[in-house]
Amino acid sequence: MFPVRRLMMAAASNSVSLKHGLSLWCPHSGSFSRAQPKSSVSFRSFRRSYVVASSAFANENREFVIVGGGNAAGYAARTFVEHGMADGRLCIVTKEAFAPYERPALTKGYLFPLDKKPARLPGFHTCVGSGGERQTPEWYKDKGIETFYQDPVTGIDIENQTLKTNSGKLLKYGALLIATGCTASRFPDRIGGGLPGVHYIRDVADADSLISSLEKAKKVVIVGGGYIGMEVAAAAVGWKLDTTIIFPENHLLQRLFTPSLARKYEEFYQENGVKFLKGASIKNLEAGADGRVSSVRLEDGSSIEADTVVIGIGAKPAVSPFEQVGLNSTVGGIQVDGLFRTKIPGIFAVGDVAAFPLKLYDRVTRVEHVDHARRSAQHCVKSLLTAHTQIYDYLPYFYSRVFEYEGSPRKIWWQFFGDNVGETVEIGNFDPKIATFWIDSGKLKGVLLESGSPEEFELLPKLARFQPSVDKAKLQSASSTEMFDISFFLGTSESMHKQNKQSC
């Protein structure tokens, strides 16, 4: 298969016949008609039309290759199928031993003890998270999608459009979709980060290893007060284990929660037996006589006993071996435009690994969340296969669900939409409902709701996207019922009013 750049330079003809019956059409290179993202990266347009004579895979050439085995890969595969471009055309290469699955289940349901009916594969293969057909390994076979499991990509030759895998395979691609996600940030081995009994969680193998420890554990220490810390701690409560969360910040989920909101969640966790050590720094993890982790030593010299330690201190975009494709030095990840094109024609990046222009807030960002993984993959593939040129217009969305097992005194579920900037107004007492509104320059920028109704949750993205003007005093005096009546915001924003008419 010829390199894309060589094809685009062929002036004699726009149609190039490839071996094995594949015909590739490329228009001449051009510049974007839309505004570029605020970065120094320059992108060239790239569009293809494919005609395939046979559905059988060629020995060397693949029209489309997805690298990665997470949500983005699964939703990208579904979009290829929906456009009739998967059978005999699409290949997935992943380090995973399983077909793509919904990763949020790993900390929200997989870690429960057996009597709590934990989530298990194939129950959460993509794309069930958004109500689609479960994409089991059989699904990929039935759709004619070639898959290479447990064989991560180790190198790329951009000029020759070739990937090399760990097993030594050489795969030529026509279009490449990078969906490698993130890897867990780890403690260095020199301070005990690799001791038996120390766990990180990013995939099913990690979760299985942690469960084997939880089955024998008595004292669990969780390092990190973010999503992973909160969700793993809730699961540990289901195992009836002595559980402590340690983090250096002043409160839980400091990147999003206000101090007041965090306090409500912390009190609930404490009522369920979870202990907190805030503002604490860890010096090292110590091993016992059997070589397993036995305690966590803090910088102040104190230590906490632990036979199981879970590290949840964030993640890093999995960009190796794709650094040469073009990275963003500010937010990390692979730089792309609003159609998820990298600076290399024919190469795309989606999901956690993509540094993309966030149109709504006019900045380049990365989003590590399942909703973005799904939407970015679908948007990218649709743009690749059709004349679709609409720039990705994402509204940031985050959520968590904890204590959702049988016998739990209360199930927790919050959703956040928008941007957490400006001052905040909090309404409700967590009994069970509580809402936090972020207001900047008189306009609503973000909103978080705990234990809302389906109708209330449905309103959140509308409010966050259209940013109505807000009377702070009026909002502060509103009841929990009034604040989620859409008429409460009408008259303060013409765009919100128009949107409400459209939705009706």
Side-chain angles (χ1 to χ4, degrees):
M1 189 175 289
F2 294 94
V4 173
R5 285 175 292 180
R6 208 173 298 163
L7 293 179
M8 300 180 96
M9 293 172 63
S13 173
N14 283 348
S15 179
V16 179
S17 296
L18 306 183
K19 60 183 177 178
H20 307 300
L22 180 66
S23 177
L24 175 65
W25 175 84
C26 290
H28 294 297
S29 175
S31 59
F32 286 147
S33 59
R34 296 179 182 270
Q36 298 288 323
K38 285 191 173 181
S39 73
S40 61
V41 179
S42 175
F43 299 90
R44 293 188 297 173
S45 66
F46 174 80
R47 186 164 300 155
R48 297 164 168 244
S49 176
Y50 292 91
V51 179
V52 176
S54 171
S55 64
F57 277 103
N59 196 31
E60 297 176 348
N61 301 332
R62 277 83 181 173
E63 287 183 66
F64 308 106
V65 175
I66 299 172
V67 179
N71 279 288
Y75 281 78
R78 182 172 75 172
T79 310
F80 275 109
V81 169
E82 290 170 348
H83 287 83
M85 296 297 285
D87 189 9
R89 298 169 170 87
L90 177 62
C91 171
I92 297 178
V93 188
T94 174
K95 66 178 181 180
E96 291 271 8
F98 304 94
Y101 53 87
E102 303 281 355
R103 293 183 188 273
L106 295 178
T107 52
K108 294 176 172 65
Y110 198 90
L111 298 180
F112 299 165
L114 289 178
D115 64 330
K116 307 296 185 184
K117 298 182 179 179
R120 287 293 179 268
L121 291 171
F124 59 98
H125 277 304
T126 58
C127 293
V128 293
S130 59
E133 180 183 9
R134 185 177 292 111
Q135 294 174 200
T136 62
E138 291 71 29
W139 183 90
Y140 290 89
K141 291 179 182 178
D142 291 343
K143 303 302 181 183
I145 300 172
E146 186 181 31
T147 53
F148 294 114
Y149 297 115
Q150 294 180 290
D151 198 10
V153 170
T154 57
I156 179 173
D157 182 338
I158 291 175
E159 182 67 23
N160 292 302
Q161 292 178 248
T162 303
L163 300 172
K164 183 178 181 179
T165 72
N166 189 61
S167 69
K169 288 186 179 70
L170 293 177
L171 303 174
K172 283 204 168 190
Y173 60 85
L176 173 64
L177 186 63
I178 303 170
T180 46
C182 286
T183 58
S185 297
R186 301 175 64 90
F187 272 14
D189 287 348
R190 59 182 171 77
I191 66 168
L195 288 173
V198 177
H199 298 271
Y200 308 85
I201 184 162
R202 292 296 299 184
D203 56 35
V204 166
D206 293 336
D208 286 336
S209 178
L210 177 54
I211 289 171
S212 68
S213 285
L214 294 176
E215 289 173 339
K216 303 182 287 289
K218 293 182 179 179
K219 295 188 176 182
V220 177
V221 169
I222 299 163
V223 182
Y227 288 96
I228 298 295
M230 292 181 69
E231 292 174 1
V232 172
V237 169
W239 289 87
K240 297 182 171 58
L241 302 177
D242 183 313
T243 305
T244 302
I245 304 179
I246 302 174
F247 49 89
E249 297 85 12
N250 296 322
H251 61 76
L252 283 175
L253 204 59
Q254 188 153 317
R255 288 188 298 173
L256 178 61
F257 286 176
T258 65
S260 176
L261 182 62
R263 186 167 57 251
K264 304 292 195 305
Y265 286 97
E266 290 168 7
E267 290 171 353
F268 181 77
Y269 273 74
Q270 289 170 328
E271 290 170 5
N272 281 273
V274 177
K275 298 182 285 292
F276 291 98
L277 271 179
K278 307 176 192 177
S281 297
I282 294 173
K283 182 177 182 180
N284 63 287
L285 308 179
E286 300 180 326
D290 59 357
R292 290 180 57 85
V293 67
S294 62
S295 63
V296 177
R297 183 164 295 279
L298 306 180
E299 287 288 357
D300 64 8
S302 62
S303 64
I304 304 169
E305 290 185 14
D307 49 45
T308 298
V309 175
V310 183
I311 310 294
I313 56 173
K316 299 177 293 186
V319 295
S320 180
F322 300 108
E323 291 92 340
Q324 58 185 304
V325 172
L327 305 183
N328 182 294
S329 60
T330 302
V331 301
I334 298 171
Q335 183 70 54
V336 298
D337 68 356
L339 299 178
F340 297 97
R341 301 176 292 192
T342 71
K343 67 179 182 180
I344 309 297
I347 300 181
F348 306 78
V350 296
D352 296 359
V353 78
F356 68 97
L358 187 59
K359 180 180 177 181
L360 185 62
Y361 303 124
D362 194 26
R363 63 176 184 255
V364 174
T365 191
R366 276 193 323 105
V367 175
E368 297 174 10
H369 194 266
V370 61
D371 180 65
H372 166 64
R374 295 167 179 164
R375 293 177 184 271
S376 62
Q378 293 169 318
H379 192 98
C380 174
V381 176
K382 182 179 178 182
S383 300
L384 168 63
L385 299 179
T386 72
H388 176 263
T389 58
Q390 183 176 351
I391 298 300
Y392 187 59
D393 189 11
Y394 185 66
L395 175 67
Y397 164 54
F398 300 97
Y399 78 97
S400 187
R401 306 171 73 126
V402 293
F403 296 101
E404 285 199 315
Y405 44 78
E406 289 187 6
S408 172
R410 175 178 171 184
K411 296 174 175 60
I412 297 294
W413 184 17
W414 59 262
Q415 291 187 27
F416 167 85
F417 286 89
D419 206 11
N420 58 326
V421 296
E423 56 185 332
T424 58
V425 173
E426 183 179 291
I427 300 176
N429 296 309
F430 206 69
D431 57 353
K433 190 178 300 183
I434 189 169
T436 301
F437 298 85
W438 280 262
I439 303 169
D440 190 36
S441 300
K443 292 187 176 295
L444 183 69
K445 294 293 185 177
V447 57
L448 181 147
L449 175 63
E450 165 64 50
S451 299
S453 68
E455 294 76 20
E456 291 168 342
F457 280 135
E458 185 179 343
L459 176 61
L460 302 189
K462 296 178 182 179
L463 292 174
R465 179 169 290 281
F466 290 94
Q467 304 176 31
S469 298
V470 175
D471 183 328
K472 182 180 174 183
K474 180 183 176 184
L475 183 60
Q476 287 174 322
S477 64
S479 68
S480 60
T481 301
E482 290 174 330
M483 66 180 175
F484 286 109
D485 180 351
I486 195 169
S487 63
F488 178 86
F489 294 94
L490 295 181
T492 60
S493 170
E494 184 63 26
S495 61
M496 187 69 199
H497 186 64
K498 289 179 180 178
Q499 171 64 14
N500 182 57
K501 284 185 176 180
Q502 293 171 0
S503 65
C504 294

